[in-house]
Amino acid sequence: MPYIQLISSFGWEPIEQVYRQYRQLPRGQYPASEAAKRDYWFSAICTATHRNLGPFFAQWRVPVSPEAQKAATAYPGWLPPEMRWSDKSGQNRVLSFLRHERQPSAC
């Protein structure tokens, strides 16, 4: 679903750009750990879209390091419309449906 939301909003070009960039890395510069891979993807897709995707990644519970998050603050924050709602004051609020823990059913 996150890929669909990114493609729907930004098209394929940012994703293709990140993949091209990754393929051009010398082997010694490949991210070694899963956390480093997530940080690389996060930083690269933020740069490609010129958006801070920190709120988006947080809603999808994709962890990124504080350092990567801080670097992304150079860009305006972004969430797709379906992950936003407005309260009575007219302020946009982030939906938190992905943050709620699911309760076990009482079957």
Side-chain angles (χ1 to χ4, degrees):
M1 184 64 116
Y3 276 100
I4 293 169
Q5 290 172 304
L6 290 171
I7 293 164
S8 177
S9 294
F10 301 106
W12 280 97
E13 181 53 35
I15 291 172
E16 292 171 348
Q17 179 182 337
V18 172
Y19 286 152
R20 278 192 305 270
Q21 178 183 330
Y22 188 81
R23 284 192 305 267
Q24 293 172 356
L25 281 177
R27 288 225 183 258
Q29 292 181 15
Y30 282 178
S33 67
E34 289 303 312
K37 290 174 187 176
R38 281 190 304 270
D39 279 358
Y40 181 88
W41 168 251
F42 174 77
S43 297
I45 198 68
C46 286
T47 299
T49 60
H50 302 286
R51 296 290 186 278
N52 176 355
L53 300 176
F56 179 69
F57 274 56
Q59 284 294 310
W60 279 105
R61 293 184 173 181
V62 177
V64 293
S65 71
E67 295 81 15
Q69 290 178 26
K70 185 176 180 182
T73 62
Y75 300 114
W78 177 83
L79 277 173
E82 63 271 15
M83 293 176 91
R84 292 184 169 269
W85 63 279
S86 294
D87 64 13
K88 291 179 183 178
S89 70
Q91 288 187 300
N92 284 331
R93 304 284 186 206
V94 176
L95 284 178
S96 60
F97 67 90
L98 293 174
R99 293 181 186 257
H100 292 298
E101 295 299 322
R102 293 185 179 181
Q103 299 298 317
S105 63
C107 293

